[in-house]
Amino acid sequence: MLFVWTAISFSANSQEVVKVTITTKTAVTDALEKCKEAGKKEKMGSRDFEVNEQNGKVTLWRTVGALTKADFYCEIKATYKDGITTLNIRMPHTPGLMSSNWTKELKKITKHLELPEMMVGEYFDGIE
């Protein structure tokens, strides 16, 4: 019985996402501005823009779907430590939106990022 309860609570709290970590030697403010510009190139708006010298966040989004509208969005959180800005970019799989490859969708955005000394980590697509 405990196994069934654990499986149910895990599935209720888990979500399918695609994510990647990018590091750069630019300031948090500049990095997030470049992320907003990359989103614009993929016809995405921005919201939830909050930033200071040590951390910040921005959400890129676009409403998609012909019959049923859904928000397709990408959350970006930035932190600064020891001269390195780390961008944690996370895109939840949008219910009702059919995509055969969510990693490809995230790569469409990140390919437009041009940051100094940028290092892109491994893309993860799965349950978080």
Side-chain angles (χ1 to χ4, degrees):
M1 183 67 174
L2 180 60
F3 173 74
V4 173
W5 182 79
T6 304
I8 291 170
S9 64
F10 176 73
S11 65
N13 295 324
S14 61
Q15 182 176 26
E16 286 189 76
V17 299
V18 60
K19 60 184 180 177
V20 68
T21 300
I22 297 175
T23 59
T24 181
K25 289 202 173 187
T26 191
V28 170
T29 308
D30 295 337
L32 289 176
E33 285 295 333
K34 293 286 188 179
C35 290
K36 287 172 52 175
E37 290 174 20
K40 285 180 185 177
K41 290 179 181 176
E42 286 300 318
K43 297 181 174 65
M44 298 181 85
S46 61
R47 62 179 176 217
D48 305 326
F49 185 69
E50 297 174 19
V51 66
N52 63 40
E53 292 178 2
Q54 297 301 311
N55 56 48
K57 70 176 185 172
V58 67
T59 303
L60 305 176
W61 66 278
R62 173 175 66 226
T63 302
V64 295
L67 298 176
T68 52
K69 302 290 184 191
D71 276 349
F72 176 70
Y73 66 98
C74 177
E75 302 166 328
I76 304 168
K77 292 184 180 175
T79 56
Y80 183 82
K81 185 177 180 183
D82 299 328
I84 304 288
T85 296
T86 303
L87 300 170
N88 293 305
I89 304 173
R90 180 182 177 276
M91 180 184 290
H93 292 205
T94 305
L97 179 62
M98 300 303 265
S99 177
S100 59
N101 190 336
W102 285 95
T103 303
K104 183 178 176 182
E105 295 296 330
L106 183 56
K107 284 182 178 181
K108 286 180 183 178
I109 298 166
T110 59
K111 76 176 180 184
H112 296 294
L113 282 176
E114 294 178 15
L115 300 166
E117 299 182 49
M118 184 170 108
M119 299 281 293
V120 180
E122 296 274 330
Y123 284 84
F124 168 83
D125 189 358
I127 296 175
E128 180 180 67

